[in-house]
Amino acid sequence: MGETTSPAKSAVQYGVIFGVIMILEFVIPYAIGINLLENKTLGLIINLANYLFLPVLLIFIALNNYKKNINNGFLSFSQALKGGVTLVVIAALIFSLFTVVFNLIFPEYLVEIMSSTRKMMAESNPNFTEEQLDTSIAMIEKFSTPYITVPATIAIYAFIGLIYSLIIGAILKNDRPQGY
């Protein structure tokens, strides 16, 4: 039986690329002073890129690279799942750890976000009392801690990676023949 290489070999490099792209999508608007909560169009474009286009594109490229260049033209369904989920988990880990470090270096960023969120909540729900706004913001702050955001980010991206890997794996699948 031939020896197979893990799909992680291809997935790691594309996961790092995806993580760096997400970091740049976060840093560039911050550096030029764009608030993604207020600029809904840019926020929507970045969300679509991070949750739909980039994962699909990079999982497809990584699995196709693994199939053609590393595994002699073969790709099993389980290898596709391993590769795709590994890719997005690495990207999510890089991005979430960067976010934690960024918030430690620039604590005023979270204050700005909470202020913008409070303002948007007050505008969209004029019947909210100050107490209701305070309670809502306190809950958002509680869920913004690294102990919740890092695992939640990784879990969300792992689920997304699983779904996309199932679809892309079904498309690219080419099992190794029995006697190979």
Side-chain angles (χ1 to χ4, degrees):
M1 253 189 171
E3 201 174 296
T4 60
T5 306
S6 171
K9 183 173 185 177
S10 181
V12 169
Q13 67 193 48
Y14 289 101
V16 170
I17 290 168
F18 186 22
V20 169
I21 290 171
M22 287 194 298
I23 290 170
L24 290 174
E25 290 172 343
F26 179 84
V27 170
I28 291 171
Y30 177 78
I32 59 177
I34 296 174
N35 184 337
L36 294 176
L37 289 175
E38 293 171 3
N39 188 338
K40 293 185 188 308
T41 305
L42 182 59
L44 177 65
I45 291 169
I46 289 174
N47 281 333
L48 282 173
N50 288 343
Y51 293 109
L52 181 63
F53 301 125
L54 289 174
V56 169
L57 177 67
L58 291 172
I59 289 171
F60 181 83
I61 291 171
L63 293 179
N64 203 32
N65 176 55
Y66 173 73
K67 176 182 171 182
K68 291 189 179 198
N69 300 329
I70 298 172
N71 205 31
N72 301 321
F74 301 110
L75 178 71
S76 70
F77 206 60
S78 66
Q79 290 169 330
L81 291 176
K82 287 177 198 172
V85 173
T86 300
L87 185 150
V88 294
V89 165
I90 288 170
L93 184 64
I94 290 169
F95 179 70
S96 60
L97 292 177
F98 166 80
T99 305
V100 169
V101 171
F102 183 87
N103 289 335
L104 289 173
I105 295 171
F106 300 106
E108 69 275 3
Y109 176 74
L110 268 178
V111 173
E112 271 180 50
I113 293 297
M114 292 304 155
S115 173
S116 293
T117 303
R118 182 183 191 88
K119 180 181 162 194
M120 286 175 41
M121 287 174 70
E123 289 172 0
S124 65
N125 300 308
N127 297 332
F128 264 24
T129 65
E130 279 299 311
E131 184 179 307
Q132 288 173 317
L133 282 173
D134 291 341
T135 304
S136 299
I137 294 298
M139 189 64 92
I140 293 170
E141 286 174 344
K142 184 186 284 187
F143 283 101
S144 297
T145 63
Y147 303 114
I148 294 175
T149 58
V150 171
T153 301
I154 293 170
I156 289 166
Y157 273 97
F159 180 72
I160 288 169
L162 177 69
I163 300 300
Y164 294 149
S165 297
L166 286 168
I167 296 166
I168 295 168
I171 294 168
L172 295 177
K173 183 180 168 209
N174 186 17
D175 284 325
R176 192 178 300 271
Q178 286 291 350
Y180 192 82

